[in-house]
């Protein structure tokens, strides 16, 4: 794939090694002029969601998009769905798309295994977001070892489809993410949500969401305008803002 795909007005930094591209994004944020993708071949202290560690063996993609989004924190948070849509389409260039699915809140599955994860970090106030960092880890070449989330054991693109270099994958991802931003600006979250739901794993099926307080089992009905998971339970529809999701 040619680098002609690279979106206009977006910068790119490629590092050999860094502690974490999220940490690098936070360091670069005060001087940020334009949206910037930061990619690293090696991370020595990569992080995942909920304080977990993230392992990225050689050849996998580790990248963070640093930007100054318009709007407040709620709009910024919706970008995890945009990132998932962008990742899904980038992966579909290299593997049969029917094997891919997005999983709420922000993973991409390949044949039921986790192939990509998304981590959002931001700085700002209730009024506005100063900066947003969208971190993506994609198992392109190798499956990370010793991952605790056994319900979705990690898998790698190389086990199912073509080998692709991280730089090449980033080209497609950056282009797709720019398209998601254009859709969001023109049509709002409704269209992003519609596209995400078309790709969602287990939509209409019974799933379990484990929040910090309880476990809720119900039919996965939708996501709402704020990105909450909507489960239909015997008590009625429940909107869940944060949880780990399990399939039975
Ligand atoms: O827990 C998850 O599923 C999210 C994983 C996000 C990992 C990526 S790799 C690039 C960026 N830098 C980090 O330290 N984490 C994110």
């Amino acid at each position: 794939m040619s680098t002609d795909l690279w979106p206009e007005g977006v910068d790119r930094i490629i590092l050999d090694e860094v502690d974490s591209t999220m940490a690098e994004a936070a360091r670069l944020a005060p001087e940020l002029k334009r949206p910037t993708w930061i990619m690293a071949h090696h991370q020595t202290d990569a992080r995942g969601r909920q304080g977990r560690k993230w392992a990225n063996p050689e050849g996998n993609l580790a990248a963070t998009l640093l930007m100054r989004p318009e709007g407040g924190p709620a709009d910024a948070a919706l970008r995890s769905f945009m990132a998932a849509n962008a990742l899904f389409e980038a992966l579909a260039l290299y593997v049969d798309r029917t094997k891919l699915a997005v999983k709420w809140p922000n993973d991409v599955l390949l044949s039921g295994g986790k192939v990509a994860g998304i981590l959002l970090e931001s700085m700002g106030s209730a009024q506005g977001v100063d900066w947003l960092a969208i971190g993506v880890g994609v198992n392109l070449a190798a499956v990370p070892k010793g991952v605790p989330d056994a319900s979705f054991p990690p898998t790698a693109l190389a086990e199912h489809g073509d080998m692709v270099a991280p730089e090449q994958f980033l080209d497609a991802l950056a282009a797709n993410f720019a398209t998601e931003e254009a859709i969001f600006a023109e049509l709002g979250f409704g269209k992003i949500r519609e596209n995400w739901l078309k790709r969602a794993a287990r939509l209409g099926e019974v799933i379990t969401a484990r929040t910090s307080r309880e476990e809720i089992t119900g039919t996965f009905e939708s996501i709402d305008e704020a990105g909450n998971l909507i489960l239909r339970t015997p008590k009625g529809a429940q909107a869940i803002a944060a949880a780990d999701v399990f399939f039975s």
Side-chain angles (χ1 to χ4, degrees), residues 80-218:
S80 70
F81 298 96
M82 293 157 62
N85 283 341
L87 274 168
F88 181 104
E89 287 304 324
L91 285 160
L93 293 172
Y94 303 103
V95 75
D96 176 358
R97 63 191 299 121
T98 63
K99 291 183 180 172
L100 292 165
V102 294
K103 173 182 156 273
W104 188 91
N106 41 19
D107 291 334
V108 184
L109 304 179
L110 170 55
S111 294
K114 177 164 168 169
V115 69
I118 300 161
L119 173 67
L120 261 52
E121 294 179 354
S122 62
M123 191 67 87
S125 64
Q127 283 70 47
V129 177
D130 183 23
W131 58 263
L132 171 70
I134 305 166
V136 294
V138 187
N139 302 330
L140 294 177
V143 177
K145 296 212 169 58
V147 174
D149 187 0
S151 14
F152 297 93
T155 189
L157 184 66
E159 292 191 330
H160 304 263
D162 296 343
M163 273 297 282
V164 51
E167 292 91 337
Q168 190 181 341
F169 191 84
L170 182 63
D171 280 355
L173 178 60
N176 291 349
F177 192 84
T179 302
E180 292 292 313
E181 280 289 348
I183 295 172
F184 189 53
E186 259 175 57
L187 303 170
F189 184 60
K191 188 66 187 170
I192 303 287
R193 174 175 168 267
E194 186 187 315
N195 291 341
W196 188 92
L197 284 167
K198 280 185 200 151
R199 299 167 177 143
R202 303 293 176 108
L203 188 65
E205 295 181 31
V206 173
I207 64 172
T208 298
R210 190 177 297 155
T211 74
S212 53
R213 288 179 298 116
E214 58 183 336
E215 232 178 65
I216 305 165
T217 297

Side-chain angles (χ1 to χ4, degrees), residues 4-17:
D4 295 338
L5 270 181
W6 192 261
E8 253 187 75
V10 177
D11 287 342
R12 166 178 33 185
I13 298 170
I14 298 192
L15 303 168
D16 187 32
E17 185 173 292

Side-chain angles (χ1 to χ4, degrees), residues 8-57:
E8 253 187 75
V10 177
D11 287 342
R12 166 178 33 185
I13 298 170
I14 298 192
L15 303 168
D16 187 32
E17 185 173 292
V18 73
D19 47 357
S20 152
T21 55
M22 303 306 280
E24 183 67 7
R27 289 188 287 266
L28 294 178
E31 303 303 322
L32 184 76
K33 299 277 181 296
R34 311 198 315 164
T36 301
W37 279 97
I38 305 158
M39 192 199 108
H41 287 288
H42 304 277
Q43 294 183 109
T44 54
D45 194 16
R47 46 201 195 229
R49 289 176 57 231
Q50 298 176 339
R52 296 181 188 122
K53 293 252 173 237
W54 180 261
N56 62 292

